[in-house]
Amino acid sequence: MPESAYHAFDFESWSKLANNDPEGFEARRVRAIEEAIRRAPARAQARLRRLQWKLDQVRRTSATPMAACIRMNHMMWDRITGPGGLLETLVEGKHTPPPQAPAKVLPFRLTRLS
């Protein structure tokens, strides 16, 4: 049964599922995330999929669930208080994306096909 933003999160059922059926919990978690991404505006879906991939890698490479939680918490605070983050955007009233390295432009020779 998919979770919906219009229904309260049922912590008890999720907790029981995690304790009694970890594989079932994981499948339900993936479905709930996928549904949330599908409900998002089309322009945001690719960014949300990249973010979810990044979070999944944090979970995969962390020694414990608590370590993953702490790492994700730091990621969140970096997006709020870091350069170009929410706080800066709110204070300055504008969005300033983080600086990026310039791309190297490759020269191409014009060739004619005979």
Side-chain angles (χ1 to χ4, degrees):
M1 172 160 82
E3 292 295 313
S4 172
Y6 303 108
H7 294 92
F9 179 75
D10 185 357
F11 179 82
E12 289 301 319
S13 72
W14 279 90
S15 179
K16 285 179 186 175
L17 186 61
N19 289 324
N20 299 327
D21 181 7
E23 290 177 5
F25 171 85
E26 183 61 20
R28 185 176 178 194
R29 183 188 74 82
V30 168
R31 283 193 310 269
I33 291 168
E34 182 56 34
E35 181 182 332
I37 292 172
R38 260 189 273 116
R39 282 193 318 260
R43 68 184 181 280
Q45 290 181 12
R47 182 180 52 83
L48 291 171
R49 289 188 196 290
R50 288 189 301 269
L51 175 60
Q52 186 57 49
W53 179 86
K54 194 173 189 178
L55 295 172
D56 288 340
Q57 298 314 304
V58 168
R59 290 177 69 234
R60 187 179 66 76
T61 60
S62 296
T64 65
M66 182 57 78
C69 183
I70 291 168
R71 287 175 61 194
M72 289 181 204
N73 181 272
H74 288 185
M75 288 170 59
M76 178 191 68
W77 279 107
D78 285 345
R79 294 292 295 168
I80 292 172
T81 62
L86 179 62
L87 184 61
E88 185 177 293
T89 301
L90 292 173
V91 169
E92 294 182 7
K94 61 182 179 182
H95 176 68
T96 53
Q100 295 180 340
K104 181 178 180 182
V105 178
L106 301 175
F108 288 94
R109 283 184 260 147
L110 180 61
T111 59
R112 295 185 188 256
L113 299 175
S114 305

mmCIF file of all heavy atoms in Angstrom, residues 54-76:
data_model
loop_
_atom_site.group_PDB
_atom_site.id
_atom_site.type_symbol
_atom_site.label_atom_id
_atom_site.label_comp_id
_atom_site.label_asym_id
_atom_site.label_seq_id
_atom_site.Cartn_x
_atom_site.Cartn_y
_atom_site.Cartn_z
ATOM 1 N N LYS A 54 22.252 9.815 -4.132
ATOM 2 C CA LYS A 54 23.295 10.245 -3.203
ATOM 3 C C LYS A 54 22.987 9.759 -1.779
ATOM 4 O O LYS A 54 23.867 9.254 -1.079
ATOM 5 C CB LYS A 54 23.410 11.764 -3.234
ATOM 6 C CG LYS A 54 24.630 12.331 -2.591
ATOM 7 C CD LYS A 54 24.692 13.833 -2.857
ATOM 8 C CE LYS A 54 26.011 14.396 -2.425
ATOM 9 N NZ LYS A 54 26.105 15.823 -2.725
ATOM 10 N N LEU A 55 21.745 9.881 -1.352
ATOM 11 C CA LEU A 55 21.354 9.413 -0.018
ATOM 12 C C LEU A 55 21.511 7.898 0.102
ATOM 13 O O LEU A 55 21.957 7.388 1.133
ATOM 14 C CB LEU A 55 19.913 9.830 0.292
ATOM 15 C CG LEU A 55 19.670 11.335 0.391
ATOM 16 C CD1 LEU A 55 18.184 11.630 0.508
ATOM 17 C CD2 LEU A 55 20.452 11.947 1.532
ATOM 18 N N ASP A 56 21.156 7.186 -0.957
ATOM 19 C CA ASP A 56 21.322 5.722 -0.936
ATOM 20 C C ASP A 56 22.793 5.350 -0.803
ATOM 21 O O ASP A 56 23.137 4.375 -0.120
ATOM 22 C CB ASP A 56 20.726 5.091 -2.201
ATOM 23 C CG ASP A 56 19.208 5.118 -2.212
ATOM 24 O OD1 ASP A 56 18.590 5.265 -1.127
ATOM 25 O OD2 ASP A 56 18.634 4.994 -3.309
ATOM 26 N N GLN A 57 23.688 6.120 -1.445
ATOM 27 C CA GLN A 57 25.120 5.834 -1.335
ATOM 28 C C GLN A 57 25.623 6.123 0.078
ATOM 29 O O GLN A 57 26.480 5.404 0.595
ATOM 30 C CB GLN A 57 25.914 6.638 -2.365
ATOM 31 C CG GLN A 57 25.557 6.316 -3.808
ATOM 32 C CD GLN A 57 25.460 4.830 -4.079
ATOM 33 O OE1 GLN A 57 26.397 4.088 -3.847
ATOM 34 N NE2 GLN A 57 24.302 4.386 -4.551
ATOM 35 N N VAL A 58 25.103 7.164 0.700
ATOM 36 C CA VAL A 58 25.469 7.454 2.089
ATOM 37 C C VAL A 58 25.047 6.287 2.969
ATOM 38 O O VAL A 58 25.824 5.821 3.809
ATOM 39 C CB VAL A 58 24.830 8.778 2.577
ATOM 40 C CG1 VAL A 58 24.954 8.929 4.080
ATOM 41 C CG2 VAL A 58 25.470 9.960 1.870
ATOM 42 N N ARG A 59 23.837 5.793 2.781
ATOM 43 C CA ARG A 59 23.357 4.648 3.576
ATOM 44 C C ARG A 59 24.240 3.426 3.336
ATOM 45 O O ARG A 59 24.597 2.713 4.266
ATOM 46 C CB ARG A 59 21.905 4.310 3.216
ATOM 47 C CG ARG A 59 20.910 5.344 3.684
ATOM 48 C CD ARG A 59 19.486 5.027 3.254
ATOM 49 N NE ARG A 59 18.997 3.865 3.971
ATOM 50 C CZ ARG A 59 18.492 2.786 3.385
ATOM 51 N NH1 ARG A 59 18.389 2.714 2.076
ATOM 52 N NH2 ARG A 59 18.060 1.777 4.100
ATOM 53 N N ARG A 60 24.571 3.192 2.052
ATOM 54 C CA ARG A 60 25.344 2.002 1.681
ATOM 55 C C ARG A 60 26.755 2.040 2.251
ATOM 56 O O ARG A 60 27.304 1.010 2.653
ATOM 57 C CB ARG A 60 25.397 1.892 0.151
ATOM 58 C CG ARG A 60 26.017 0.613 -0.370
ATOM 59 C CD ARG A 60 26.022 0.564 -1.887
ATOM 60 N NE ARG A 60 26.868 1.566 -2.502
ATOM 61 C CZ ARG A 60 28.196 1.515 -2.562
ATOM 62 N NH1 ARG A 60 28.828 0.503 -2.034
ATOM 63 N NH2 ARG A 60 28.889 2.461 -3.153
ATOM 64 N N THR A 61 27.365 3.224 2.319
ATOM 65 C CA THR A 61 28.766 3.319 2.733
ATOM 66 C C THR A 61 28.952 3.665 4.207
ATOM 67 O O THR A 61 30.090 3.783 4.661
ATOM 68 C CB THR A 61 29.509 4.369 1.880
ATOM 69 O OG1 THR A 61 28.888 5.648 2.057
ATOM 70 C CG2 THR A 61 29.511 3.970 0.408
ATOM 71 N N SER A 62 27.874 3.819 4.937
ATOM 72 C CA SER A 62 27.974 4.133 6.369
ATOM 73 C C SER A 62 28.041 2.849 7.184
ATOM 74 O O SER A 62 27.413 1.846 6.834
ATOM 75 C CB SER A 62 26.781 4.972 6.817
ATOM 76 O OG SER A 62 26.791 6.214 6.160
ATOM 77 N N ALA A 63 28.792 2.906 8.260
ATOM 78 C CA ALA A 63 28.984 1.720 9.099
ATOM 79 C C ALA A 63 27.699 1.288 9.810
ATOM 80 O O ALA A 63 27.477 0.099 10.016
ATOM 81 C CB ALA A 63 30.082 1.988 10.127
ATOM 82 N N THR A 64 26.877 2.249 10.190
ATOM 83 C CA THR A 64 25.637 1.950 10.913
ATOM 84 C C THR A 64 24.532 2.880 10.414
ATOM 85 O O THR A 64 24.814 3.930 9.828
ATOM 86 C CB THR A 64 25.802 2.183 12.433
ATOM 87 O OG1 THR A 64 26.033 3.582 12.649
ATOM 88 C CG2 THR A 64 26.936 1.358 13.007
ATOM 89 N N PRO A 65 23.275 2.530 10.668
ATOM 90 C CA PRO A 65 22.187 3.443 10.315
ATOM 91 C C PRO A 65 22.332 4.813 10.993
ATOM 92 O O PRO A 65 22.044 5.842 10.385
ATOM 93 C CB PRO A 65 20.933 2.715 10.795
ATOM 94 C CG PRO A 65 21.298 1.259 10.727
ATOM 95 C CD PRO A 65 22.751 1.225 11.128
ATOM 96 N N MET A 66 22.820 4.834 12.237
ATOM 97 C CA MET A 66 23.003 6.112 12.926
ATOM 98 C C MET A 66 24.084 6.950 12.238
ATOM 99 O O MET A 66 23.941 8.166 12.100
ATOM 100 C CB MET A 66 23.365 5.892 14.397
ATOM 101 C CG MET A 66 23.531 7.187 15.171
ATOM 102 S SD MET A 66 22.080 8.253 15.143
ATOM 103 C CE MET A 66 21.057 7.433 16.335
ATOM 104 N N ALA A 67 25.157 6.303 11.787
ATOM 105 C CA ALA A 67 26.208 7.030 11.067
ATOM 106 C C ALA A 67 25.649 7.630 9.775
ATOM 107 O O ALA A 67 25.968 8.768 9.417
ATOM 108 C CB ALA A 67 27.385 6.108 10.772
ATOM 109 N N ALA A 68 24.803 6.869 9.079
ATOM 110 C CA ALA A 68 24.173 7.383 7.862
ATOM 111 C C ALA A 68 23.287 8.582 8.184
ATOM 112 O O ALA A 68 23.303 9.593 7.472
ATOM 113 C CB ALA A 68 23.356 6.283 7.185
ATOM 114 N N CYS A 69 22.539 8.481 9.258
ATOM 115 C CA CYS A 69 21.657 9.572 9.674
ATOM 116 C C CYS A 69 22.462 10.839 9.968
ATOM 117 O O CYS A 69 22.097 11.940 9.538
ATOM 118 C CB CYS A 69 20.860 9.140 10.901
ATOM 119 S SG CYS A 69 19.685 10.361 11.473
ATOM 120 N N ILE A 70 23.565 10.694 10.658
ATOM 121 C CA ILE A 70 24.403 11.844 10.996
ATOM 122 C C ILE A 70 24.986 12.469 9.729
ATOM 123 O O ILE A 70 24.997 13.692 9.565
ATOM 124 C CB ILE A 70 25.510 11.440 11.994
ATOM 125 C CG1 ILE A 70 24.879 11.115 13.357
ATOM 126 C CG2 ILE A 70 26.580 12.516 12.113
ATOM 127 C CD1 ILE A 70 25.813 10.437 14.336
ATOM 128 N N ARG A 71 25.459 11.632 8.813
ATOM 129 C CA ARG A 71 26.018 12.152 7.560
ATOM 130 C C ARG A 71 24.960 12.899 6.750
ATOM 131 O O ARG A 71 25.213 13.965 6.186
ATOM 132 C CB ARG A 71 26.617 11.022 6.730
ATOM 133 C CG ARG A 71 27.923 10.488 7.310
ATOM 134 C CD ARG A 71 28.453 9.297 6.551
ATOM 135 N NE ARG A 71 28.755 9.613 5.161
ATOM 136 C CZ ARG A 71 28.973 8.677 4.233
ATOM 137 N NH1 ARG A 71 28.912 7.391 4.549
ATOM 138 N NH2 ARG A 71 29.241 9.024 2.997
ATOM 139 N N MET A 72 23.750 12.339 6.693
ATOM 140 C CA MET A 72 22.671 12.994 5.955
ATOM 141 C C MET A 72 22.274 14.303 6.624
ATOM 142 O O MET A 72 21.976 15.292 5.947
ATOM 143 C CB MET A 72 21.463 12.067 5.834
ATOM 144 C CG MET A 72 21.679 10.916 4.894
ATOM 145 S SD MET A 72 20.190 9.905 4.818
ATOM 146 C CE MET A 72 20.872 8.347 4.306
ATOM 147 N N ASN A 73 22.302 14.323 7.947
ATOM 148 C CA ASN A 73 21.999 15.542 8.679
ATOM 149 C C ASN A 73 23.018 16.632 8.342
ATOM 150 O O ASN A 73 22.649 17.788 8.107
ATOM 151 C CB ASN A 73 21.977 15.258 10.183
ATOM 152 C CG ASN A 73 21.647 16.482 10.995
ATOM 153 O OD1 ASN A 73 22.537 17.246 11.353
ATOM 154 N ND2 ASN A 73 20.368 16.658 11.287
ATOM 155 N N HIS A 74 24.288 16.266 8.258
ATOM 156 C CA HIS A 74 25.328 17.231 7.885
ATOM 157 C C HIS A 74 25.111 17.738 6.457
ATOM 158 O O HIS A 74 25.303 18.931 6.187
ATOM 159 C CB HIS A 74 26.716 16.607 8.019
ATOM 160 C CG HIS A 74 27.138 16.413 9.441
ATOM 161 N ND1 HIS A 74 28.376 15.959 9.789
ATOM 162 C CD2 HIS A 74 26.485 16.601 10.612
ATOM 163 C CE1 HIS A 74 28.476 15.879 11.104
ATOM 164 N NE2 HIS A 74 27.324 16.260 11.619
ATOM 165 N N MET A 75 24.717 16.828 5.560
ATOM 166 C CA MET A 75 24.435 17.236 4.177
ATOM 167 C C MET A 75 23.313 18.277 4.156
ATOM 168 O O MET A 75 23.389 19.278 3.440
ATOM 169 C CB MET A 75 24.012 16.029 3.334
ATOM 170 C CG MET A 75 25.122 15.069 3.008
ATOM 171 S SD MET A 75 24.530 13.520 2.268
ATOM 172 C CE MET A 75 23.674 14.109 0.813
ATOM 173 N N MET A 76 22.272 18.033 4.942
ATOM 174 C CA MET A 76 21.139 18.948 4.988
ATOM 175 C C MET A 76 21.579 20.322 5.493
ATOM 176 O O MET A 76 21.262 21.348 4.891
ATOM 177 C CB MET A 76 20.035 18.397 5.881
ATOM 178 C CG MET A 76 18.844 19.327 6.014
ATOM 179 S SD MET A 76 17.681 18.830 7.288
ATOM 180 C CE MET A 76 18.631 19.112 8.772
#
